[in-house]
C-alpha cells in the first residue's frame, strides 16, 4: 500500500497549518483572500470517489470547519466575507484537495474565480503567524 505524501507543489504556495482527523490543513500564502486547503491523507486519491464513504463524511465536516475558520480569519482582518467558495479542482495538482476561500464583493476578482487569476500577494510573516494561531484555535 502506498504511503500518503503531500504533493510538493503545495509547499510552493501554502504553509502547513494543522493536522485534522482526515486532512492536512494548509494556509494559502495569498494575502488577498482568507484561504485554506484541505488535503485528505489518503494515498493516491485524486477524486472524491477515491475516499471511503466514511471519509467523505469527515471531509464534509472538515470543510464546514474550514469555512468557519476562513470567516474568523476575515473577521480578524476587519474584512468580513460575503461568500465562501469551496472547490475540489485538481487541474494543476491532481492530488485530492479542497479549497475553502473567503470572497468579498470588493476583492478585485469578484465575481470571477480566484484560481489562476492574478498574482498571489504574499502575507507578511506576522500576519501568517496570526492566521496560524487562529487556525490552531479553530
Amino acid at each position: 500500500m502506498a504511503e500518503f505524501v503531500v504533493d510538493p507543489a503545495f509547499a510552493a504556495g501554502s504553509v502547513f497549518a494543522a493536522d485534522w482527523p482526515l486532512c492536512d490543513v494548509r494556509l494559502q500564502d495569498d494575502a488577498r483572500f482568507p484561504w485554506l486547503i484541505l488535503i485528505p491523507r489518503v494515498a493516491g486519491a485524486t477524486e472524491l470517489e477515491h475516499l471511503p464513504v466514511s471519509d467523505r463524511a469527515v471531509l464534509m465536516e472538515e470543510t464546514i470547519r474550514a469555512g468557519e475558520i476562513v470567516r474568523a480569519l476575515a473577521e480578524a482582518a476587519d474584512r468580513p466575507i460575503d461568500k465562501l467558495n469551496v472547490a475540489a479542482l485538481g487541474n494543476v495538482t491532481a492530488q485530492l484537495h479542497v479549497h475553502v476561500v473567503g470572497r468579498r464583493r470588493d476583492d478585485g476578482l469578484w465575481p470571477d474565480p480566484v484560481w489562476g487569476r492574478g498574482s498571489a500577494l504574499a502575507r507578511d510573516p506576522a500576519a501568517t503567524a496570526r492566521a496560524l494561531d487562529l487556525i490552531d484555535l479553530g
Side-chain angles (χ1 to χ4, degrees):
M1 184 169 171
E3 183 179 331
F4 171 79
V5 177
V6 172
D7 188 303
F10 289 108
S14 65
V15 296
F16 175 80
D19 248 339
W20 287 355
L22 177 63
C23 295
D24 272 18
V25 181
R26 300 190 66 86
L27 174 66
Q28 185 73 9
D29 188 18
D30 190 341
R32 299 175 300 166
F33 310 100
W35 185 340
L36 296 180
I37 301 170
L38 306 178
I39 307 169
R41 286 185 300 280
V42 176
T46 59
E47 304 293 345
L48 291 168
E49 66 206 42
H50 296 154
L51 296 180
V53 173
S54 59
D55 283 351
R56 294 176 198 169
V58 174
L59 179 58
M60 180 58 73
E61 291 305 314
E62 291 186 3
T63 301
I64 300 298
R65 181 179 176 191
E68 292 168 348
I69 291 171
V70 163
R71 287 183 190 283
L73 290 168
E75 291 285 337
D78 281 333
R79 297 195 42 81
I81 63 170
D82 296 309
K83 181 73 176 99
L84 279 174
N85 289 177
V86 177
L89 301 171
N91 295 345
V92 175
T93 305
Q95 182 174 40
L96 179 60
H97 61 286
V98 176
H99 296 270
V100 182
V101 186
R103 299 296 306 276
R104 292 174 52 93
R105 286 180 175 83
D106 66 354
D107 70 22
L109 291 179
W110 184 275
D112 296 333
V114 298
W115 297 277
R117 294 291 189 53
S119 297
L121 177 61
R123 269 188 196 83
D124 69 72
T128 297
R130 286 191 302 274
L132 291 174
D133 285 345
L134 237 166
I135 294 165
D136 193 42
L137 295 173

